[in-house]
């Protein structure tokens, strides 16, 4: 539904025939929503459907926007990337390994975090493996990126930063407790578990 921000009055509503998955994208006046049966639906600002695309995937876990692209994945290891400008899928792969957290795409690189603790980088153009890092721990939290590093939060409380281009480990922090979320802020990384919040501050080299 679309609501009036001042009065709360409902302006428009649209009922989908199938429940939607986690997340939606708004880009240049168009809403993009993916249903649980893996159909990408497009709506205008009045929530009128204008187009749809069958992704031919088993139930999509979530969708995320990266620049002018939309990334889809599911827990079975299927990943697809859709170009908003070209209105088509330009990358797809079935990795054959469980994925619980969102892959990341930038330029010609896709970084895939697998549930078994392995994180791998692949070239978009030919799907060749660029580098791989593995830690035998559950990986079900989303990876984070700063300007140069990929930051991997493992569920048992180990945080590892890798160089984005080479996959070489830059630093590691052992929290000592399991964590249920991790988020990157300018001051560092916020970790959470139950009633506890912790902040890992970045070292100032100056």
């Amino acid at each position: 539904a679309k609501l009036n921000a001042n009065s709360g009055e409902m302006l428009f509503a649209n009922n989908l025939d199938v429940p939607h998955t986690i997340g939606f994208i708004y880009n240049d006046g168009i809403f993009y929503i993916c249903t649980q049966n893996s159909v990408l639906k497009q709506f205008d600002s009045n929530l009128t459907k204008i187009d749809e695309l069958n992704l031919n995937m088993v139930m999509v876990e979530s969708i995320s926007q990266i620049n002018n692209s939309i990334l889809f994945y599911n827990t079975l290891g299927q990943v697809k990337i859709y170009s908003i400008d070209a209105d088509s899928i330009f990358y797809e792969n079935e990795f054959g390994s469980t994925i619980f957290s969102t892959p990341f795409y930038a330029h010609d690189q896709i970084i895939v975090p697998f549930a078994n603790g392995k994180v791998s980088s692949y070239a978009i153009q030919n799907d060749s493996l660029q580098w791989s890092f593995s830690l035998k721990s559950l990986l079900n939290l989303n990876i984070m990126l700063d300007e140069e590093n990929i930051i991997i939060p493992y569920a048992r409380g180990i945080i590892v930063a890798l160089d984005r281009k080479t996959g070489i480990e830059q630093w590691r922090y052992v929290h000592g407790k399991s964590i249920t979320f991790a988020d990157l802020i300018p001051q560092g990384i916020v970790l959470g578990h139950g009633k506890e919040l912790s902040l890992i501050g970045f070292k100032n080299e100056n």
Side-chain angles (χ1 to χ4, degrees):
K2 183 176 181 179
L3 306 178
N4 184 306
N6 295 318
S7 66
E9 176 188 4
M10 182 180 294
L11 301 178
F12 308 104
N14 191 308
N15 293 319
L16 303 175
D17 51 352
V18 178
H20 60 81
T21 189
I22 299 172
F24 79 96
I25 306 300
Y26 181 75
N27 185 81
D28 197 22
I30 298 177
F31 294 94
Y32 297 83
I33 295 174
C34 186
T35 60
Q36 290 183 358
N37 61 347
S38 304
V39 175
L40 177 65
K41 295 178 180 286
Q42 300 178 27
F43 299 87
D44 64 17
S45 58
N46 294 329
L47 299 185
T48 300
K49 190 178 77 172
I50 56 178
D51 201 1
E52 68 178 34
L53 174 68
N54 189 339
L55 298 172
N56 295 311
M57 296 175 67
V58 178
M59 183 175 172
V60 172
E61 188 71 17
S62 72
I63 67 175
S64 56
Q65 182 176 6
I66 302 172
N67 298 321
N68 277 351
S69 301
I70 302 175
L71 187 146
F72 311 86
Y73 82 96
N74 61 24
T75 57
L76 299 178
Q78 292 179 294
V79 177
K80 294 190 179 186
I81 306 176
Y82 166 86
S83 168
I84 293 175
D85 295 333
D87 189 26
S88 63
I89 299 292
F90 69 89
Y91 176 85
E92 55 186 308
N93 200 336
E94 296 188 17
F95 291 99
S97 186
T98 304
I99 299 175
F100 285 152
S101 50
T102 305
F104 180 83
Y105 157 69
H107 305 297
D108 62 345
Q109 179 187 35
I110 181 168
I111 301 166
V112 184
F114 297 101
N116 62 5
K118 182 173 72 172
V119 178
S120 297
S121 172
Y122 301 87
I124 288 287
Q125 297 299 324
N126 56 19
D127 238 4
S128 61
L129 179 66
Q130 297 176 322
W131 54 258
S132 188
F133 173 86
S134 184
L135 183 68
K136 291 183 179 180
S137 179
L138 175 65
L139 180 48
N140 62 351
L141 304 174
N142 285 338
I143 59 176
M144 301 166 283
L145 294 99
D146 60 18
E147 293 182 358
E148 298 179 350
N149 296 327
I150 302 158
I151 302 171
I152 310 166
Y154 287 95
R156 71 182 188 188
I158 299 174
I159 315 298
V160 180
L162 308 177
D163 182 274
R164 189 163 158 180
K165 294 181 179 179
T166 65
I168 295 174
E169 184 172 333
Q170 302 300 299
W171 54 262
R172 178 179 300 209
Y173 170 79
V174 180
H175 185 56
K177 299 179 181 179
S178 61
I179 57 175
T180 53
F181 79 84
D183 201 4
L184 185 65
I185 63 173
Q187 294 82 5
I189 302 170
V190 177
L191 306 178
H193 174 68
K195 297 180 180 179
E196 180 183 283
L197 288 176
S198 302
L199 173 65
I200 306 173
F202 293 131
K203 182 178 179 182
N204 189 338
E205 300 295 341
N206 298 323

